[in-house]
C-alpha cells in the first residue's frame, strides 16, 4: 500500500502524515524541488523549509518516504493544474488565486512555495494546486491519499463530492519522532501487512465496496495486536526527541474523482464571490478522469 500525502501535512506533522508513515508500505509526497535541490541553493525560505523536514530524515533514509515513483512525482502535476485552472471555464473563479509568475521563474516558485509550506495558513494559490497535484498523481498510479478531517470551506465542499466506502477505528501514533515510527512499524509488521494488503486491494478494485469486509477484519486484528504490544511499541519512549502519543483514530475511506480539489475549491470560491451561482459551481468536470480512494484521518477528540 502506497499512500500519497500533502506536503503541508508533513511539514506540520498532522495526523494524515503521521498515520501514513506508520500504516503505509511507502509514502509519496510533493517535494518542492522536482528538478533536484540545485536550483534551491541560496534561497532562504527553502533552506528553512528543509530544516522543518529534518525530523523526517530517518523515514526518507529507510525508504518509507519518497518524492516519486520510478521517476514520476506529484511535483510534475502542479504546472498541469495551473494550466487546467487557466484554460477551463468551470475553474475561472480560482484564477485570481494563481501565482502565475512561478510558471516561468523556478527560483520564485521554490521560494514562495517553501515559504507557504512553513505558514500555518496556506495560500490558496499554492495549497489548491498542491492538493490537486497530489490527487492527480495518486489517480495516475492508483494510490491511496491521506486526508485530514474537513475544517476549511473548501474541504467541507469536498464532502458532497465523495462517496463513503468504509470506516474503521485503530490505535495509531499521532505524535512521535521518526525513529519511534520506524520502531512501531517493525513491532507491528505482521499485523500491518494484512491491513496494507486489504486497503491496497480496496483502492485498486473496480468496486471498492467488495473489499470492505477484509479491511474491517484486518483493522480489528491490527487493533487487537496493538493493544497487546503497546508496551513494546512505546518501549523507551521517555528518551525520544518528541513525546510519543498514541490514540484511537477513525479512518474513513471515501471515493472521489481526481479533480475533487478543483471542483470543491471552485464551489467554495463561488459561494463567496457569487452566492447566487454557488449551487451550480463545478458540479462536474468533463476534462479530468479517474478516481481516488482517500483515507480521512480523524484522531479521537478531533473536531468534526
Amino acid at each position: 500500500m502506497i499512500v500519497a500525502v500533502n506536503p503541508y501535512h508533513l511539514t506540520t506533522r498532522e495526523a494524515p502524515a503521521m498515520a501514513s508513515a506508520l500504516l503505509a508500505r511507502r509514502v509519496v509526497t510533493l517535494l518542492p524541488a522536482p528538478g533536484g535541490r540545485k536550483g534551491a541553493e541560496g534561497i532562504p525560505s527553502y533552506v528553512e523549509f528543509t530544516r522543518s523536514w529534518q525530523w523526517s530524515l530517518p523515514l526518507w533514509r529507510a525508504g518509507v518516504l519518497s518524492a516519486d515513483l520510478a521517476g514520476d512525482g506529484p511535483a510534475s502535476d502542479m504546472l498541469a493544474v495551473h494550466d487546467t485552472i487557466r484554460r477551463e471555464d468551470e475553474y475561472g473563479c480560482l484564477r485570481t488565486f494563481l501565482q502565475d509568475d512561478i510558471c516561468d521563474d523556478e527560483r520564485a516558485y521554490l521560494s514562495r512555495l517553501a515559504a507557504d509550506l512553513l505558514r500555518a495558513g496556506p495560500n490558496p494559490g499554492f495549497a489548491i494546486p498542491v492538493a490537486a497535484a497530489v490527487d492527480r498523481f495518486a489517480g495516475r498510479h492508483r494510490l491511496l491519499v491521506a486526508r485530514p478531517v474537513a475544517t476549511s470551506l473548501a474541504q467541507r465542499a469536498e464532502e458532497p463530492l465523495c462517496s463513503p466506502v468504509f470506516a474503521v477505528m485503530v490505535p495509531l501514533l499521532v505524535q512521535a519522532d521518526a525513529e519511534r515510527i520506524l520502531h512501531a512499524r517493525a513491532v507491528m509488521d505482521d499485523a500491518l501487512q494484512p491491513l496494507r494488503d486489504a486497503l491496497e486491494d480496496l483502492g485498486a478494485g473496480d468496486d471498492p465496496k467488495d473489499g470492505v469486509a477484509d479491511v474491517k477484519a484486518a483493522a480489528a486484528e491490527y487493533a487487537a495486536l496493538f493493544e497487546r504490544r503497546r508496551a513494546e511499541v512505546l518501549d523507551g519512549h521517555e528518551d525520544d526527541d518528541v513525546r510519543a502519543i498514541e490514540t484511537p483514530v477513525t479512518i474513513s475511506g471515501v471515493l472521489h474523482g481526481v479533480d475533487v480539489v478543483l471542483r470543491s475549491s471552485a464551489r467554495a470560491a463561488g459561494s463567496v464571490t457569487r452566492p447566487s451561482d454557488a449551487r451550480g459551481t463545478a458540479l462536474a468536470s468533463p476534462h479530468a478522469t479517474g478516481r481516488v480512494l482517500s483515507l480521512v484521518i480523524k484522531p479521537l477528540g478531533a473536531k468534526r
Side-chain angles (χ1 to χ4, degrees):
M1 179 182 74
I2 304 176
V3 177
V5 170
N6 190 311
Y8 284 95
H9 303 148
L10 190 63
T11 302
T12 54
R13 307 194 201 188
E14 289 180 64
M18 301 304 293
S20 298
L22 175 57
L23 291 177
R25 287 193 180 93
R26 187 174 172 190
V27 177
V28 182
T29 192
L30 188 154
L31 185 65
R37 293 186 175 83
K38 185 176 180 180
E41 292 176 356
I43 300 176
S45 61
Y46 193 87
V47 173
E48 186 179 357
F49 158 73
T50 57
R51 287 175 182 159
S52 76
W53 276 16
Q54 288 291 315
W55 73 273
S56 67
L57 280 178
L59 296 171
W60 293 87
R61 294 182 184 128
V64 175
L65 268 172
S66 63
D68 63 72
L69 287 177
D72 181 28
S76 64
D77 290 283
M78 264 198 74
L79 295 183
V81 171
H82 270 260
D83 188 55
T84 296
I85 295 173
R86 281 198 299 265
R87 287 188 299 103
E88 298 184 12
D89 290 341
E90 62 261 46
Y91 305 131
C93 57
L94 300 179
R95 289 171 191 154
T96 57
F97 299 130
L98 290 183
Q99 311 290 311
D100 284 328
D101 60 328
I102 70 169
C103 297
D104 304 315
D105 187 336
E106 182 182 9
R107 289 183 67 82
Y109 157 75
L110 291 173
S111 176
R112 295 170 66 183
L113 176 55
D116 199 63
L117 282 164
L118 290 165
R119 293 175 55 198
N123 181 332
F126 287 110
I128 292 172
V130 165
V134 170
D135 278 354
R136 286 192 177 199
F137 172 78
R140 187 163 63 251
H141 292 279
R142 300 300 295 268
L143 310 182
L144 306 180
V145 177
R147 276 176 148 71
V149 175
T151 54
S152 70
L153 184 63
Q155 288 172 341
R156 289 173 182 168
E158 282 188 12
E159 293 177 339
L161 304 176
C162 298
S163 299
V165 178
F166 73 90
V168 296
M169 181 173 284
V170 295
L172 292 174
L173 297 175
V174 293
Q175 179 177 295
D177 61 24
E179 296 291 356
R180 177 60 50 186
I181 293 172
L182 291 173
H183 171 72
R185 287 170 62 93
V187 171
M188 296 299 301
D189 183 68
D190 55 342
L192 283 169
Q193 296 299 340
L195 182 55
R196 290 166 179 164
D197 290 341
L199 287 168
E200 185 173 41
D201 290 344
L202 197 71
D206 293 330
D207 184 357
K209 293 185 179 180
D210 287 345
V212 169
D214 292 338
V215 170
K216 290 185 175 181
E221 179 184 351
Y222 163 86
L225 191 56
F226 193 101
E227 291 296 325
R228 295 197 294 270
R229 295 183 184 172
R230 178 179 282 105
E232 187 177 358
V233 168
L234 298 175
D235 183 42
H237 73 95
E238 298 87 356
D239 299 323
D240 291 354
D241 292 335
V242 175
R243 178 191 175 198
I245 297 179
E246 170 264 319
T247 192
V249 172
T250 298
I251 302 176
S252 301
V254 297
L255 192 65
H256 56 79
V258 296
D259 62 342
V260 71
V261 171
L262 295 183
R263 292 169 62 192
S264 61
S265 297
R267 172 179 284 186
S271 70
V272 174
T273 60
R274 295 175 298 165
S276 61
D277 297 336
R279 182 172 297 179
T281 300
L283 295 180
S285 172
H287 305 288
T289 59
R291 64 176 190 176
V292 172
L293 181 66
S294 280
L295 307 178
V296 180
I297 311 297
K298 180 183 178 183
L300 184 67
K303 292 182 180 180
R304 295 207 47 165

